[in-house]
Amino acid sequence: MKQIKVLIADDHTIVREGIRSLLEAREDISVVGEASTGAEAIEKTEALKPDVAIIDISMPILNGLEATLRIKKSVPQCKVLVLTMHENKESVRQVLRAGASGYIVKKSAASQLFDAIHAVFKGEAFFSPSISRMLLDEYRDEVGPIDKTLSLREREVLQLVAEGYGNREISDLLHI
């Protein structure tokens, strides 16, 4: 199994050291570098070419959002996983637009961090459960509830039309 090369970018030393300690205990993950500013995260990502860059949003000398945007431009094969305390829709939207592959909150368990690293490394998206819930609620708010004006029979017909059935097939299936 290939080791996943990870860069950790957070302006808090104790947080970086804690994450490093957690990740170094794993045989499948190798920490290749650390950064304490957004500018340093870009520089080290370009030099070290990690598979995954774990980026905090709130960092000095370029925030995590700008760092993510620049990392994705200069090292597109690097997957960015945002690890932050922020749990608001706007932060999530912004980092996703910038090219992040995942968003995990700092209150998450270590096992979620490991799962997130593996998921984004494989090209999948990963969100903390609280973020997934927030995105789902936002989506439901945008699209609204299922149209209650259709009867059960009308919804059955609509479903069969969507599945590509013709009028005669629908009437046969529904015994009309």
Side-chain angles (χ1 to χ4, degrees):
M1 175 189 267
K2 178 188 187 276
Q3 275 195 323
I4 302 170
K5 298 183 301 184
V6 174
L7 174 93
I8 304 164
D10 193 295
D11 58 324
H12 296 99
T13 304
I14 197 165
V15 172
R16 283 194 321 274
E17 289 175 354
I19 295 168
R20 177 184 275 280
S21 179
L22 286 170
L23 298 182
E24 285 181 339
R26 306 271 308 201
E27 292 180 8
D28 55 343
I29 297 172
S30 170
V31 177
V32 295
E34 295 180 22
S36 61
T37 70
E40 188 180 8
I42 297 163
E43 179 183 303
K44 289 197 174 181
T45 300
E46 290 173 346
L48 301 171
K49 307 277 192 269
D51 299 310
V52 177
I54 300 172
I55 307 281
D56 185 17
I57 291 177
S58 302
M59 288 190 295
I61 315 173
L62 290 181
N63 62 35
L65 173 64
E66 186 63 28
T68 297
L69 194 62
R70 293 186 189 190
I71 286 168
K72 291 307 294 177
K73 283 184 182 176
S74 65
V75 189
Q77 71 276 14
C78 179
K79 307 294 192 249
V80 175
L81 173 63
V82 171
L83 176 64
T84 186
M85 65 180 190
H86 301 287
E87 292 186 79
N88 61 70
K89 294 175 190 176
E90 193 53 36
S91 293
V92 175
R93 277 192 213 113
Q94 288 178 346
V95 296
L96 292 178
R97 278 189 216 115
S101 298
Y103 196 104
I104 185 168
V105 292
K106 288 183 176 177
K107 67 181 181 183
S108 301
S111 61
Q112 283 185 350
L113 177 60
F114 305 143
D115 292 345
I117 291 168
H118 283 277
V120 299
F121 173 70
K122 291 188 281 186
E124 300 169 2
F126 188 95
F127 301 98
S128 290
S130 63
I131 301 302
S132 294
R133 177 44 131 196
M134 182 179 60
L135 293 172
L136 179 61
D137 289 345
E138 181 181 27
Y139 173 76
R140 285 181 176 154
D141 288 345
E142 286 177 13
V143 298
I146 293 176
D147 188 357
K148 302 283 188 213
T149 60
L150 296 178
S151 69
L152 178 60
R153 179 60 95 188
E154 289 169 329
R155 284 200 300 267
E156 287 176 328
V157 171
L158 183 59
Q159 176 65 38
L160 292 170
V161 168
E163 291 176 13
Y165 291 98
N167 289 341
R168 286 197 184 165
E169 294 169 308
I170 292 171
S171 65
D172 289 343
L173 286 168
L174 298 179
H175 308 290
I176 299 174

